[in-house]
């Protein structure tokens, strides 16, 4: 076992703090990675505070991981020591079910998540990327280009793939009018991808102060969702809307903006359910209400390669790990431009939380 240092939540209300634990030694198919950067996803906060009612403590969050390979097992061929590597939300799956065979490991009924998931290799729970190293099966390690800003690549591993995948699934492209709801970690990547795919992009926000940024990031228009007259101007005009909001809200406000056969796709996963939308907004125009979960490993690599080719990274605020609790509070106030990323060089055996 390898001694590992991380930051953990020990219960739903205490701040995250230093935590010593052990990782397995790399097995024949494993890659050991020294973590350089880890993004701060709203899912980390939901989990640290047990908002999804499934957290086993202590929990070490973090699933937007970028680092350098330090060691590989004898059967690993795709990586060697010194390579850059990324790890997202998944570290294992059964490999044999229909979903895994299609490269859709995120729908495998027995996948292993990067944190807060039973770990078949230790019998304990998996611990995530708020830590100095991780050991992952080669099949779940992503290749990362040397040419992009590494800290800004980290959020691609969750926020990136979670927005890229549904936009691809619904064939978003030129000639389409596409909405993105919420300009946070996911939302700002949704705007960048929808713009890169050639769609007309409208950003819906509750924060008027984000308008200029949204236009800079690739939105053609910004709508303040709290203003009914601004919303009404877009009635029945969208092909696709991606909803990234982390809190319950009125879905009818967006369903009625869809054209016939348009789709509202939810990726935000709030603690409490959204109020049920009215069926009439669905049946009269054959509209669809859908959802999407991260993306498979193959598609995550495709997304990373697309980003390297098109110079797409996340807009980040780099923080030392001692500020992660303050970052959670700011994220709750929608006050982040647009993803916090932890600089893991700040993680030291002494010195606790902020
Ligand atoms: P985030 O950075 O906090 O962004 C969420 C955005 O939602 C905020 O910036 C804000 O945008 C908007 N918002 C927040 N509270 C709101 C409210 N009460 N009403 C309306 N809008 C509100 O979070 P994130 O990391 O992007 O994650 C978003 C959600 O997606 C979380 O629930 C997370 O767990 C989930 N998630 C799902 C997947 C998946 O696979 N489906 C993957 C990753 C994360 P404005 O200021 O622009 O209004
Ligand atoms: Zn995430």
């Amino acid at each position: 076992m390898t001694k590992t240092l991380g930051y953990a939540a020990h219960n739903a209300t205490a701040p995250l703090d230093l935590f010593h634990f052990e990782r397995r030694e790399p097995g024949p198919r494993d890659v050991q990675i020294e973590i350089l950067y880890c993004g701060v996803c709203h899912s980390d906060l939901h989990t640290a505070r047990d908002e999804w009612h499934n957290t086993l403590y202590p929990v070490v969050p973090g699933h937007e991981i970028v680092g350098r390979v330090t060691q590989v097992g004898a059967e690993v061929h795709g990586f060697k020591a010194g390579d850059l590597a990324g790890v997202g939300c998944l570290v294992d799956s059964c490999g044999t079910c229909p979903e895994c065979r299609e490269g859709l490991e995120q729908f495998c009924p027995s996948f292993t998540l990067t944190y807060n998931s039973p770990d078949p290799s230790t019998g304990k729970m998996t611990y995530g990327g708020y830590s100095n190293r991780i050991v992952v099966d080669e099949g779940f390690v992503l290749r990362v280009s040397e040419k992009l800003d590494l800290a800004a690549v980290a959020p691609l591993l969750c926020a990136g793939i979670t927005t890229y995948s549904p936009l691809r699934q619904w064939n978003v492209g030129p000639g389409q009018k596409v909405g993105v709801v919420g300009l946070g970690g996911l939302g700002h990547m949704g705007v960048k991808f929808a713009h890169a795919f050639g769609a007309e992009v409208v950003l819906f926000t509750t924060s008027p102060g984000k308008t200029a940024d949204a236009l800079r990031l690739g939105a053609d228009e910004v709508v303040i969702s709290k203003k009914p007259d601004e919303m009404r101007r877009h009635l029945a005009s969208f092909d696709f809307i991606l909803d990234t909001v982390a809190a319950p809200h009125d879905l009818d406000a967006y369903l009625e903006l869809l054209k016939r056969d348009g789709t509202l796709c939810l990726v935000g996963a709030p603690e409490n359910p959204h109020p049920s939308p009215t069926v009439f907004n669905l049946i009269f125009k054959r509209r669809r209400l859908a959802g999407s979960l991260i993306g498979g490993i193959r598609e995550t690599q495709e997304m990373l390669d697309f980003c390297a080719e098109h110079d797409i990274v996340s807009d980040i605020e780099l923080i030392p790990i001692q500020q992660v609790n303050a970052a959670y509070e700011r994220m709750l106030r929608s006050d982040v431009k647009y993803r916090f990323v932890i600089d893991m060089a700040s993680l030291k055996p002494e010195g606790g939380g902020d």
Side-chain angles (χ1 to χ4, degrees):
M1 301 295 259
T2 312
K3 285 194 185 320
T4 306
L5 192 59
Y7 250 53
H10 289 268
N11 61 60
T13 53
L16 279 73
D17 210 343
L18 268 181
F19 177 55
H20 296 262
F21 61 103
E22 292 186 326
R23 302 264 191 211
R24 66 177 187 261
E25 292 296 329
R29 293 169 3 140
D30 280 338
V31 177
Q32 187 187 56
I33 299 164
E34 180 202 0
I35 300 176
L36 298 174
Y37 300 104
C38 184
V40 177
C41 179
H42 208 116
S43 302
D44 300 348
L45 187 159
H46 290 308
T47 306
R49 300 186 177 182
D50 198 22
E51 291 179 352
W52 293 333
H53 313 292
N54 67 351
T55 305
L56 288 186
Y57 295 98
V59 64
V60 177
H63 56 207
E64 296 183 336
I65 298 166
V66 168
R68 268 204 199 271
V69 175
T70 45
Q71 202 182 324
V72 299
E75 293 167 24
V76 171
H77 299 297
F79 293 90
K80 58 180 187 325
D83 286 351
L84 287 177
V87 179
C89 302
L90 296 166
V91 290
D92 210 350
S93 71
C94 80
T96 55
C97 72
E99 278 72 28
C100 285
R101 284 207 301 271
E102 276 194 61
L104 298 171
E105 299 87 355
Q106 75 272 35
F107 302 121
C108 170
S110 50
F111 62 30
T112 305
L113 295 169
T114 304
Y115 62 81
N116 196 43
S117 203
D119 186 347
S121 69
T122 62
K124 297 186 183 165
M125 299 297 275
T126 52
Y127 292 130
Y130 296 5
S131 58
N132 55 2
R133 63 173 64 91
I134 193 164
V135 177
V136 179
D137 183 289
E138 175 183 25
F140 291 80
V141 181
L142 287 306
R143 291 185 308 282
V144 170
S145 166
E146 296 272 355
K147 81 176 212 203
L148 297 175
D149 173 5
L150 269 195
V153 166
L156 301 178
L157 275 303
C158 175
I161 185 60
T162 301
T163 49
Y164 181 96
S165 182
L167 292 170
R168 285 298 197 211
Q169 174 68 22
W170 275 274
N171 295 311
V172 162
Q176 289 187 355
K177 184 170 168 184
V178 170
V180 175
V181 188
L183 196 69
L186 267 56
H188 92 290
M189 291 312 305
V191 168
K192 288 187 184 206
F193 285 132
H195 175 72
F197 298 165
E200 177 192 347
V201 184
V202 178
L203 184 271
F204 295 93
T205 182
T206 58
S207 311
K210 293 182 182 176
T211 302
D213 280 345
L215 295 171
R216 174 179 58 79
L217 295 167
D220 297 286
E221 190 178 339
V222 177
V223 171
I224 309 302
S225 53
K226 290 171 179 162
K227 295 192 174 167
D229 51 323
E230 281 195 37
M231 296 290 278
R232 253 192 316 272
R233 280 196 291 114
H234 292 274
L235 282 175
S237 66
F238 280 88
D239 298 280
F240 183 75
I241 299 178
L242 186 65
D243 187 336
T244 75
V245 172
H249 59 280
D250 173 23
L251 299 181
D252 283 314
Y254 297 101
L255 284 171
E256 63 186 18
L257 303 190
L258 295 170
K259 308 204 268 219
R260 174 177 56 77
D261 290 323
T263 299
L264 171 62
C265 178
L266 307 180
V267 286
E271 174 181 10
N272 297 307
H274 300 297
S276 173
T278 162
V279 287
F280 296 100
N281 267 334
L282 294 166
I283 62 182
F284 271 88
K285 290 200 183 301
R286 201 163 54 191
R287 292 164 172 139
R288 293 147 202 204
L289 178 58
S292 187
L293 179 68
I294 48 173
I297 296 301
R298 192 163 62 212
E299 194 174 41
T300 304
Q301 189 64 60
E302 175 192 306
M303 178 273 311
L304 287 169
D305 295 346
F306 180 89
C307 288
E309 194 181 325
H310 297 267
D311 251 325
I312 293 175
V313 288
S314 189
D315 282 34
I316 65 156
E317 292 189 40
L318 195 63
I319 57 165
I321 200 161
Q322 293 77 12
Q323 283 176 19
V324 70
N325 296 298
Y328 278 13
E329 293 308 318
R330 280 188 54 197
M331 184 159 63
L332 278 177
R333 295 196 298 269
S334 303
D335 173 26
V336 45
K337 291 184 171 182
Y338 279 90
R339 189 60 128 192
F340 290 113
V341 173
I342 299 166
D343 181 353
M344 219 49 75
S346 62
L347 178 58
K348 300 272 177 350
E350 70 286 349
D354 40 347

